[in-house]
Amino acid sequence: MKFPIALQYSPMQKAAHWLTVLFCLSQFPTAWAIQRTHVAHRFGFSPDPFDLFLHKIHAWSGWAIFLLAMALVALRAIRGAPELPHGMPIWQRCLARLAHFSLYAGIAVLAATGTGAMYFSQRFVPIHILLVNLGIGLVLLHVIAVIWHQAVRGDGLLWRMMPKRKGTLNSTPTPTPAPGR
């Protein structure tokens, strides 16, 4: 499928991206509560009410991440996304597209396995944990790539996803060449 090309991400795409980041960060401190609630049940104790609350936050924020990711996919199909920076070798372009696809697919499967573990069977847990670890690796790759684009290439890639700053006509500053170019 051929997507339209935009000059920069829309405010809705930017908001959905950064909300996804915030919800993803909420997954880590709340995940421990899930383990504690299951351990309490196994030993015949009632789970701590705060752990049950954190368990719900984990589940609801996981579903929110899924919905935001699907909204980002839909927005990309409707509105498009900026082209990758000029001068990127084909292998980097392919890797960028594969990494983005993997992030979205991983989020969908994480939501499914998390829901499966919560409501159907604990057999989903090992798959869910494996996907979490793979997802962390993909997110780290994504962040490293953004830093590389900003610090080494100096192509302004980061600014395409940053919220518009007040008092500016364009939220994307003119890229400056990396030193030595």
Side-chain angles (χ1 to χ4, degrees):
M1 175 181 225
K2 189 87 167 147
F3 295 116
I5 297 172
L7 295 177
Q8 67 177 347
Y9 291 103
S10 71
M12 193 175 292
Q13 287 170 302
K14 293 174 185 182
H17 174 271
W18 292 110
L19 276 172
T20 301
V21 170
L22 290 174
F23 280 122
C24 285
L25 291 173
S26 78
Q27 294 294 286
F28 295 100
T30 58
W32 296 104
I34 295 170
Q35 294 174 351
R36 289 191 300 268
T37 59
H38 290 286
V39 168
H41 280 298
R42 281 193 194 109
F43 289 103
F45 300 111
S46 293
D48 182 85
F50 188 67
D51 282 342
L52 291 172
F53 172 72
L54 292 176
H55 193 287
K56 287 180 183 177
I57 289 175
H58 187 85
W60 282 98
S61 61
W63 295 325
I65 292 165
F66 170 75
L67 292 174
L68 285 164
M70 295 308 103
L72 282 166
V73 169
L75 284 167
R76 187 179 187 112
I78 294 165
R79 188 187 184 287
E83 287 189 42
L84 292 171
H86 295 289
M88 283 179 62
I90 190 74
W91 69 268
Q92 288 178 359
R93 291 175 175 278
C94 291
L95 185 60
R97 288 185 179 102
L98 177 63
H100 279 100
F101 172 80
S102 299
L103 281 167
Y104 290 126
I107 286 170
V109 179
L110 270 168
T113 58
T115 301
M118 190 170 170
Y119 291 109
F120 301 111
S121 171
Q122 290 298 302
R123 292 181 183 159
F124 288 100
V125 172
I127 300 165
H128 190 73
I129 291 170
L130 174 66
L131 289 170
V132 166
N133 291 325
L134 290 172
I136 290 169
L138 276 171
V139 169
L140 287 175
L141 177 67
H142 183 72
V143 170
I144 290 167
V146 169
I147 292 168
W148 181 77
H149 275 278
Q150 205 60 29
V152 176
R153 282 186 53 108
D155 58 21
L157 181 121
L158 171 66
W159 299 110
R160 300 185 317 178
M161 190 51 78
M162 296 302 288
K164 187 172 183 176
R165 296 177 305 224
K166 290 182 182 180
T168 61
L169 295 174
N170 185 351
S171 63
T172 308
T174 305
T176 54
R181 287 191 171 197

